[in-house]
Amino acid sequence: MTFQTLQLQRDARGVVTLTLNTPERRNVLSPQMIADLTAFARTVGQERETRVVVLQGAGPVFCAGGDLAWMRAQLTADRAQRMAEARKLAEMLQALNTLPVPLIGRLHGGAFGGGVGLACVCDMTIAARGTKFCFSETRLGIIPATIGPYVLARMGEGRARRVFMSGRVFAADEAEGLGLVAHVVEEAALDTAVTAEVAPYLATAPGAVAAAKALTRVLGPRIDAAVIEDSITRLAEIWEGEEARQGITAFLDKRPPPWGG
């Protein structure tokens, strides 16, 4: 199966490397990439021969977050259109979050906005030292709504509140302390570290791994249809506010928003 914005490689062991493959756009979450990731999760990720999925980004940045063209379109969309677009993002995140195989994130360069959300739906992430992180939404007058349930599940409320609203950029070492990433290694050691995380799964029963992962979601923080729908509604509502219009317009015009640089 091929995808417009993704590159897939599967080795003889059943390890699938899933690469966000629009490096010229810093792997932003465009509508096409959201659709491709959803389709991957619902097809390739469910195949019996898939044992582990490694998620990475091509080029200098793992994922720079939202797509500018998508943001521009939301300014003139009506409520129903905004809800529909937010639902596509929410469904993609949930599809990846509930993959019946381990999902390991290989992060480098930067993970911003929705890119942090992708890191949080991974079962564990390894980041290269020097990787930058940011919940950049509030700088634009919006909120990290659809990624919110997964961020809070990963980090816990107390740690999330340190970075969830401030819009500040933080380094990989802080991300490790916040529980966002499991390990930070030098970039030259990134592949070796990922290989070490993959290896134990190749000695486990795939069905048992899937059942154990499903159990973690039953026992962990609630992320059900009601929680997801609330995140969709909150995102659509914030897009209707004056701050969103001012913030997104300023960002697209490459000038500071009214509240600061």
mmCIF file of all heavy atoms in Angstrom, residues 16-48:
data_model
loop_
_atom_site.group_PDB
_atom_site.id
_atom_site.type_symbol
_atom_site.label_atom_id
_atom_site.label_comp_id
_atom_site.label_asym_id
_atom_site.label_seq_id
_atom_site.Cartn_x
_atom_site.Cartn_y
_atom_site.Cartn_z
ATOM 1 N N VAL A 16 7.949 -2.259 10.804
ATOM 2 C CA VAL A 16 7.569 -1.270 9.803
ATOM 3 C C VAL A 16 8.108 0.095 10.221
ATOM 4 O O VAL A 16 7.852 0.561 11.334
ATOM 5 C CB VAL A 16 6.036 -1.196 9.638
ATOM 6 C CG1 VAL A 16 5.649 -0.046 8.702
ATOM 7 C CG2 VAL A 16 5.491 -2.509 9.108
ATOM 8 N N THR A 17 8.883 0.718 9.353
ATOM 9 C CA THR A 17 9.332 2.093 9.571
ATOM 10 C C THR A 17 8.417 3.011 8.787
ATOM 11 O O THR A 17 8.330 2.930 7.558
ATOM 12 C CB THR A 17 10.787 2.277 9.117
ATOM 13 O OG1 THR A 17 11.626 1.370 9.858
ATOM 14 C CG2 THR A 17 11.252 3.698 9.374
ATOM 15 N N LEU A 18 7.705 3.854 9.518
ATOM 16 C CA LEU A 18 6.724 4.781 8.948
ATOM 17 C C LEU A 18 7.327 6.182 8.985
ATOM 18 O O LEU A 18 7.546 6.743 10.060
ATOM 19 C CB LEU A 18 5.431 4.725 9.765
ATOM 20 C CG LEU A 18 4.346 5.753 9.452
ATOM 21 C CD1 LEU A 18 3.823 5.581 8.032
ATOM 22 C CD2 LEU A 18 3.212 5.640 10.472
ATOM 23 N N THR A 19 7.600 6.741 7.804
ATOM 24 C CA THR A 19 8.278 8.025 7.715
ATOM 25 C C THR A 19 7.339 9.108 7.201
ATOM 26 O O THR A 19 6.749 8.963 6.121
ATOM 27 C CB THR A 19 9.500 7.929 6.774
ATOM 28 O OG1 THR A 19 10.368 6.882 7.228
ATOM 29 C CG2 THR A 19 10.266 9.239 6.743
ATOM 30 N N LEU A 20 7.186 10.171 7.971
ATOM 31 C CA LEU A 20 6.502 11.370 7.473
ATOM 32 C C LEU A 20 7.398 11.939 6.384
ATOM 33 O O LEU A 20 8.534 12.330 6.652
ATOM 34 C CB LEU A 20 6.299 12.375 8.600
ATOM 35 C CG LEU A 20 5.672 11.858 9.902
ATOM 36 C CD1 LEU A 20 5.557 12.988 10.928
ATOM 37 C CD2 LEU A 20 4.315 11.217 9.648
ATOM 38 N N ASN A 21 6.880 12.012 5.156
ATOM 39 C CA ASN A 21 7.786 12.212 4.021
ATOM 40 C C ASN A 21 7.441 13.442 3.192
ATOM 41 O O ASN A 21 7.344 13.387 1.966
ATOM 42 C CB ASN A 21 7.794 10.949 3.140
ATOM 43 C CG ASN A 21 8.959 10.931 2.177
ATOM 44 O OD1 ASN A 21 10.045 11.408 2.491
ATOM 45 N ND2 ASN A 21 8.741 10.364 0.993
ATOM 46 N N THR A 22 7.276 14.563 3.868
ATOM 47 C CA THR A 22 7.183 15.852 3.161
ATOM 48 C C THR A 22 8.216 16.803 3.772
ATOM 49 O O THR A 22 7.860 17.831 4.355
ATOM 50 C CB THR A 22 5.766 16.457 3.246
ATOM 51 O OG1 THR A 22 5.392 16.592 4.636
ATOM 52 C CG2 THR A 22 4.754 15.578 2.522
ATOM 53 N N PRO A 23 9.501 16.464 3.659
ATOM 54 C CA PRO A 23 10.535 17.254 4.337
ATOM 55 C C PRO A 23 10.602 18.695 3.862
ATOM 56 O O PRO A 23 10.985 19.585 4.636
ATOM 57 C CB PRO A 23 11.826 16.501 4.000
ATOM 58 C CG PRO A 23 11.520 15.730 2.752
ATOM 59 C CD PRO A 23 10.074 15.341 2.886
ATOM 60 N N GLU A 24 10.216 18.950 2.610
ATOM 61 C CA GLU A 24 10.242 20.317 2.094
ATOM 62 C C GLU A 24 9.226 21.207 2.811
ATOM 63 O O GLU A 24 9.324 22.433 2.774
ATOM 64 C CB GLU A 24 9.971 20.311 0.586
ATOM 65 C CG GLU A 24 8.555 19.952 0.166
ATOM 66 C CD GLU A 24 8.229 18.464 0.264
ATOM 67 O OE1 GLU A 24 9.142 17.677 0.584
ATOM 68 O OE2 GLU A 24 7.061 18.089 0.024
ATOM 69 N N ARG A 25 8.261 20.580 3.485
ATOM 70 C CA ARG A 25 7.250 21.329 4.249
ATOM 71 C C ARG A 25 7.390 21.058 5.744
ATOM 72 O O ARG A 25 6.474 21.331 6.512
ATOM 73 C CB ARG A 25 5.848 20.959 3.766
ATOM 74 C CG ARG A 25 5.636 21.166 2.266
ATOM 75 C CD ARG A 25 4.196 20.948 1.885
ATOM 76 N NE ARG A 25 3.338 21.940 2.510
ATOM 77 C CZ ARG A 25 2.043 21.736 2.770
ATOM 78 N NH1 ARG A 25 1.468 20.597 2.465
ATOM 79 N NH2 ARG A 25 1.329 22.680 3.356
ATOM 80 N N ARG A 26 8.516 20.507 6.146
ATOM 81 C CA ARG A 26 8.810 20.176 7.543
ATOM 82 C C ARG A 26 7.769 19.198 8.110
ATOM 83 O O ARG A 26 7.464 19.213 9.286
ATOM 84 C CB ARG A 26 8.905 21.436 8.408
ATOM 85 C CG ARG A 26 9.959 22.439 7.904
ATOM 86 C CD ARG A 26 10.482 23.303 9.016
ATOM 87 N NE ARG A 26 9.402 24.019 9.703
ATOM 88 C CZ ARG A 26 9.557 24.644 10.864
ATOM 89 N NH1 ARG A 26 10.734 24.649 11.459
ATOM 90 N NH2 ARG A 26 8.544 25.267 11.423
ATOM 91 N N ASN A 27 7.236 18.354 7.232
ATOM 92 C CA ASN A 27 6.314 17.286 7.637
ATOM 93 C C ASN A 27 5.104 17.803 8.410
ATOM 94 O O ASN A 27 4.652 17.189 9.378
ATOM 95 C CB ASN A 27 7.053 16.230 8.469
ATOM 96 C CG ASN A 27 8.184 15.583 7.701
ATOM 97 O OD1 ASN A 27 8.058 15.262 6.522
ATOM 98 N ND2 ASN A 27 9.316 15.405 8.352
ATOM 99 N N VAL A 28 4.557 18.944 7.957
ATOM 100 C CA VAL A 28 3.382 19.483 8.628
ATOM 101 C C VAL A 28 2.194 18.542 8.432
ATOM 102 O O VAL A 28 2.126 17.778 7.465
ATOM 103 C CB VAL A 28 3.020 20.893 8.110
ATOM 104 C CG1 VAL A 28 4.098 21.892 8.462
ATOM 105 C CG2 VAL A 28 2.729 20.887 6.613
ATOM 106 N N LEU A 29 1.255 18.621 9.358
ATOM 107 C CA LEU A 29 0.074 17.759 9.303
ATOM 108 C C LEU A 29 -0.950 18.352 8.339
ATOM 109 O O LEU A 29 -1.935 18.972 8.741
ATOM 110 C CB LEU A 29 -0.511 17.593 10.712
ATOM 111 C CG LEU A 29 0.343 16.741 11.655
ATOM 112 C CD1 LEU A 29 -0.182 16.842 13.078
ATOM 113 C CD2 LEU A 29 0.374 15.293 11.188
ATOM 114 N N SER A 30 -0.717 18.141 7.077
ATOM 115 C CA SER A 30 -1.648 18.577 6.034
ATOM 116 C C SER A 30 -2.864 17.657 6.024
ATOM 117 O O SER A 30 -2.824 16.548 6.571
ATOM 118 C CB SER A 30 -0.964 18.511 4.671
ATOM 119 O OG SER A 30 -0.660 17.150 4.346
ATOM 120 N N PRO A 31 -3.961 18.072 5.401
ATOM 121 C CA PRO A 31 -5.113 17.176 5.271
ATOM 122 C C PRO A 31 -4.748 15.834 4.642
ATOM 123 O O PRO A 31 -5.255 14.784 5.059
ATOM 124 C CB PRO A 31 -6.082 17.968 4.395
ATOM 125 C CG PRO A 31 -5.767 19.400 4.708
ATOM 126 C CD PRO A 31 -4.274 19.428 4.896
ATOM 127 N N GLN A 32 -3.841 15.844 3.647
ATOM 128 C CA GLN A 32 -3.452 14.589 3.012
ATOM 129 C C GLN A 32 -2.667 13.702 3.975
ATOM 130 O O GLN A 32 -2.877 12.496 4.023
ATOM 131 C CB GLN A 32 -2.623 14.867 1.765
ATOM 132 C CG GLN A 32 -2.270 13.610 0.971
ATOM 133 C CD GLN A 32 -3.498 12.871 0.462
ATOM 134 O OE1 GLN A 32 -4.324 13.462 -0.241
ATOM 135 N NE2 GLN A 32 -3.633 11.603 0.814
ATOM 136 N N MET A 33 -1.761 14.305 4.752
ATOM 137 C CA MET A 33 -1.004 13.484 5.702
ATOM 138 C C MET A 33 -1.914 12.924 6.786
ATOM 139 O O MET A 33 -1.751 11.771 7.209
ATOM 140 C CB MET A 33 0.139 14.288 6.326
ATOM 141 C CG MET A 33 1.002 13.437 7.269
ATOM 142 S SD MET A 33 2.445 14.306 7.921
ATOM 143 C CE MET A 33 3.530 14.263 6.479
ATOM 144 N N ILE A 34 -2.866 13.702 7.242
ATOM 145 C CA ILE A 34 -3.821 13.205 8.236
ATOM 146 C C ILE A 34 -4.591 12.015 7.671
ATOM 147 O O ILE A 34 -4.759 10.983 8.341
ATOM 148 C CB ILE A 34 -4.777 14.338 8.663
ATOM 149 C CG1 ILE A 34 -4.018 15.380 9.487
ATOM 150 C CG2 ILE A 34 -5.962 13.791 9.453
ATOM 151 C CD1 ILE A 34 -4.795 16.645 9.753
ATOM 152 N N ALA A 35 -5.037 12.130 6.424
ATOM 153 C CA ALA A 35 -5.758 11.024 5.787
ATOM 154 C C ALA A 35 -4.865 9.802 5.616
ATOM 155 O O ALA A 35 -5.290 8.658 5.849
ATOM 156 C CB ALA A 35 -6.310 11.474 4.432
ATOM 157 N N ASP A 36 -3.609 10.036 5.231
ATOM 158 C CA ASP A 36 -2.683 8.925 5.024
ATOM 159 C C ASP A 36 -2.371 8.213 6.341
ATOM 160 O O ASP A 36 -2.325 6.980 6.395
ATOM 161 C CB ASP A 36 -1.384 9.427 4.390
ATOM 162 C CG ASP A 36 -1.531 9.749 2.908
ATOM 163 O OD1 ASP A 36 -2.560 9.370 2.315
ATOM 164 O OD2 ASP A 36 -0.616 10.373 2.341
ATOM 165 N N LEU A 37 -2.145 8.971 7.399
ATOM 166 C CA LEU A 37 -1.854 8.358 8.699
ATOM 167 C C LEU A 37 -3.046 7.562 9.210
ATOM 168 O O LEU A 37 -2.890 6.476 9.796
ATOM 169 C CB LEU A 37 -1.451 9.432 9.710
ATOM 170 C CG LEU A 37 -0.042 10.002 9.546
ATOM 171 C CD1 LEU A 37 0.133 11.251 10.406
ATOM 172 C CD2 LEU A 37 1.014 8.964 9.898
ATOM 173 N N THR A 38 -4.243 8.079 8.984
ATOM 174 C CA THR A 38 -5.448 7.346 9.392
ATOM 175 C C THR A 38 -5.569 6.044 8.619
ATOM 176 O O THR A 38 -5.832 4.975 9.201
ATOM 177 C CB THR A 38 -6.702 8.208 9.166
ATOM 178 O OG1 THR A 38 -6.566 9.445 9.872
ATOM 179 C CG2 THR A 38 -7.950 7.492 9.661
ATOM 180 N N ALA A 39 -5.360 6.113 7.311
ATOM 181 C CA ALA A 39 -5.441 4.904 6.484
ATOM 182 C C ALA A 39 -4.369 3.893 6.878
ATOM 183 O O ALA A 39 -4.627 2.684 6.923
ATOM 184 C CB ALA A 39 -5.305 5.276 5.011
ATOM 185 N N PHE A 40 -3.169 4.376 7.160
ATOM 186 C CA PHE A 40 -2.102 3.469 7.610
ATOM 187 C C PHE A 40 -2.521 2.732 8.878
ATOM 188 O O PHE A 40 -2.379 1.516 8.974
ATOM 189 C CB PHE A 40 -0.814 4.248 7.869
ATOM 190 C CG PHE A 40 0.222 3.438 8.600
ATOM 191 C CD1 PHE A 40 1.072 2.601 7.902
ATOM 192 C CD2 PHE A 40 0.305 3.490 9.989
ATOM 193 C CE1 PHE A 40 2.005 1.814 8.579
ATOM 194 C CE2 PHE A 40 1.239 2.715 10.666
ATOM 195 C CZ PHE A 40 2.083 1.879 9.957
ATOM 196 N N ALA A 41 -3.002 3.497 9.850
ATOM 197 C CA ALA A 41 -3.362 2.889 11.134
ATOM 198 C C ALA A 41 -4.466 1.856 10.984
ATOM 199 O O ALA A 41 -4.488 0.856 11.712
ATOM 200 C CB ALA A 41 -3.785 3.980 12.120
ATOM 201 N N ARG A 42 -5.351 2.091 10.049
ATOM 202 C CA ARG A 42 -6.499 1.192 9.884
ATOM 203 C C ARG A 42 -6.223 0.020 8.954
ATOM 204 O O ARG A 42 -7.053 -0.890 8.857
ATOM 205 C CB ARG A 42 -7.703 1.991 9.380
ATOM 206 C CG ARG A 42 -8.229 2.978 10.429
ATOM 207 C CD ARG A 42 -9.348 3.848 9.884
ATOM 208 N NE ARG A 42 -9.874 4.726 10.934
ATOM 209 C CZ ARG A 42 -10.742 5.712 10.719
ATOM 210 N NH1 ARG A 42 -11.163 5.960 9.479
ATOM 211 N NH2 ARG A 42 -11.168 6.461 11.729
ATOM 212 N N THR A 43 -5.080 0.039 8.287
ATOM 213 C CA THR A 43 -4.761 -1.045 7.357
ATOM 214 C C THR A 43 -3.443 -1.708 7.725
ATOM 215 O O THR A 43 -3.422 -2.771 8.344
ATOM 216 C CB THR A 43 -4.722 -0.534 5.906
ATOM 217 O OG1 THR A 43 -3.816 0.582 5.824
ATOM 218 C CG2 THR A 43 -6.093 -0.097 5.433
ATOM 219 N N VAL A 44 -2.338 -1.060 7.393
ATOM 220 C CA VAL A 44 -1.021 -1.655 7.622
ATOM 221 C C VAL A 44 -0.797 -1.949 9.101
ATOM 222 O O VAL A 44 -0.277 -3.009 9.466
ATOM 223 C CB VAL A 44 0.090 -0.736 7.081
ATOM 224 C CG1 VAL A 44 1.461 -1.352 7.326
ATOM 225 C CG2 VAL A 44 -0.118 -0.460 5.601
ATOM 226 N N GLY A 45 -1.212 -1.012 9.943
ATOM 227 C CA GLY A 45 -1.004 -1.200 11.377
ATOM 228 C C GLY A 45 -1.786 -2.359 11.962
ATOM 229 O O GLY A 45 -1.480 -2.835 13.058
ATOM 230 N N GLN A 46 -2.796 -2.832 11.246
ATOM 231 C CA GLN A 46 -3.624 -3.938 11.725
ATOM 232 C C GLN A 46 -3.197 -5.279 11.146
ATOM 233 O O GLN A 46 -3.752 -6.318 11.525
ATOM 234 C CB GLN A 46 -5.094 -3.676 11.347
ATOM 235 C CG GLN A 46 -5.649 -2.342 11.839
ATOM 236 C CD GLN A 46 -6.013 -2.359 13.308
ATOM 237 O OE1 GLN A 46 -6.249 -3.415 13.870
ATOM 238 N NE2 GLN A 46 -6.066 -1.201 13.930
ATOM 239 N N GLU A 47 -2.252 -5.290 10.224
ATOM 240 C CA GLU A 47 -1.871 -6.530 9.563
ATOM 241 C C GLU A 47 -1.127 -7.453 10.508
ATOM 242 O O GLU A 47 -0.283 -7.022 11.303
ATOM 243 C CB GLU A 47 -1.010 -6.215 8.332
ATOM 244 C CG GLU A 47 -1.779 -5.506 7.236
ATOM 245 C CD GLU A 47 -0.891 -5.029 6.094
ATOM 246 O OE1 GLU A 47 0.344 -5.116 6.235
ATOM 247 O OE2 GLU A 47 -1.450 -4.572 5.071
ATOM 248 N N ARG A 48 -1.405 -8.742 10.424
ATOM 249 C CA ARG A 48 -0.842 -9.714 11.356
ATOM 250 C C ARG A 48 0.683 -9.773 11.286
ATOM 251 O O ARG A 48 1.347 -10.038 12.284
ATOM 252 C CB ARG A 48 -1.424 -11.107 11.073
ATOM 253 C CG ARG A 48 -2.890 -11.244 11.421
ATOM 254 C CD ARG A 48 -3.397 -12.642 11.059
ATOM 255 N NE ARG A 48 -2.665 -13.686 11.752
ATOM 256 C CZ ARG A 48 -2.952 -14.133 12.967
ATOM 257 N NH1 ARG A 48 -3.966 -13.600 13.637
ATOM 258 N NH2 ARG A 48 -2.247 -15.096 13.520
#
